[in-house]
């Protein structure tokens, strides 16, 4: 039986697969409030010609618009890959309550793997962070995408 974490990460994985089908780095994000998905997004940096169009940023913008509030208190964020420094900063500023991450990013991860933006006691908000939700599926999607890129 799937847990609610698996259910929400499945939605994030669907978003990541959409990104891959659009030749974007396959990262998906889902924001949940009171057990309801209020935003979902995937990377669109190439198609938008926008280096800030990461899945997390797009989902945060949509959730803030949905709630009519820049503060996403009480919200949970599910993301297939560990957020970068930019996204981690946005998560802190938005006051996301809990962050569920599929797989670590050993090059750019800013939730404790390379940098600690989310989780830093020096900042005014610290989201609860949990790694490893459907880690193998999230990791495989990224590995397959980059493997195809390298073989071209």
């Amino acid at each position: 039986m799937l847990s609610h974490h698996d259910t929400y990460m499945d939605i994030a994985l669907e978003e990541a697969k959409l990104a891959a089908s659009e030749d974007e780095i396959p990262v998906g994000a889902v924001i949940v409030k009171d057990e309801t998905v209020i935003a979902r997004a995937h990377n669109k940096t190439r198609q938008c010609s926008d280096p800030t169009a990461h899945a997390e940023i797009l989902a945060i913008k949509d959730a803030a618009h949905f709630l009519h509030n820049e503060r996403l208190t009480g919200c949970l964020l599910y993301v297939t890959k560990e957020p970068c420094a930019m996204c981690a900063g946005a998560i802190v500023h938005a006051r996301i309550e809990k962050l569920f991450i599929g797989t670590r990013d050993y090059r750019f991860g800013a939730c404790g793997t390379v940098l600690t933006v989310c989780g830093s006691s020096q900042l005014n908000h610290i989201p609860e962070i949990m790694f490893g939700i459907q880690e193998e599926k999230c990791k495989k999607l990224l590995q397959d995408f980059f493997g195809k890129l390298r073989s071209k």
Side-chain angles (χ1 to χ4, degrees):
M1 188 163 107
L2 289 178
S3 73
H4 61 283
H5 294 309
D6 289 327
T7 300
Y8 296 131
M9 191 58 80
D10 278 340
I11 297 168
L13 279 160
E14 287 173 17
E15 288 291 326
K17 289 173 187 172
L18 279 173
S21 74
E22 297 167 2
D23 291 325
E24 297 280 357
I25 295 173
V27 177
V30 173
I31 297 181
V32 177
K33 177 144 177 119
D34 301 325
E35 298 182 21
T36 300
V37 173
I38 63 168
R40 56 190 288 172
H42 58 275
N43 276 3
K44 293 186 177 186
T45 57
R46 292 182 175 107
Q47 62 187 291
C48 292
S49 299
D50 180 354
T52 69
H54 288 196
E56 302 94 321
I57 298 292
L58 297 173
I60 287 169
K61 285 181 179 183
D62 287 349
H65 183 260
F66 179 84
L67 295 173
H68 304 289
N69 194 333
E70 76 278 10
R71 301 286 185 243
L72 302 181
T73 54
C75 288
L76 316 177
L77 172 60
Y78 290 81
V79 64
T80 56
K81 182 178 70 63
E82 183 177 2
C84 68
M86 174 184 68
C87 294
I91 291 163
V92 170
H93 283 288
R95 311 298 195 274
I96 299 284
E97 183 178 330
K98 295 180 182 179
L99 174 60
F100 300 95
I101 301 167
T103 190
R104 290 184 182 272
D105 183 340
Y106 291 99
R107 293 186 64 204
F108 300 104
C111 299
T113 300
V114 177
L115 302 170
T116 303
V117 176
C118 281
S120 172
S121 62
Q122 295 177 330
L123 300 177
N124 64 338
H125 175 72
I126 304 171
E128 184 179 319
I129 301 169
M130 180 186 291
F131 282 93
I133 308 296
Q134 296 206 32
E135 182 175 8
E136 290 308 312
K137 287 182 183 178
C138 295
K139 188 185 302 184
K140 183 173 178 1
L141 187 59
L142 287 160
Q143 288 171 338
D144 290 351
F145 177 82
F146 286 113
K148 286 178 187 173
L149 269 183
R150 286 186 199 99
S151 68
K152 285 185 180 180

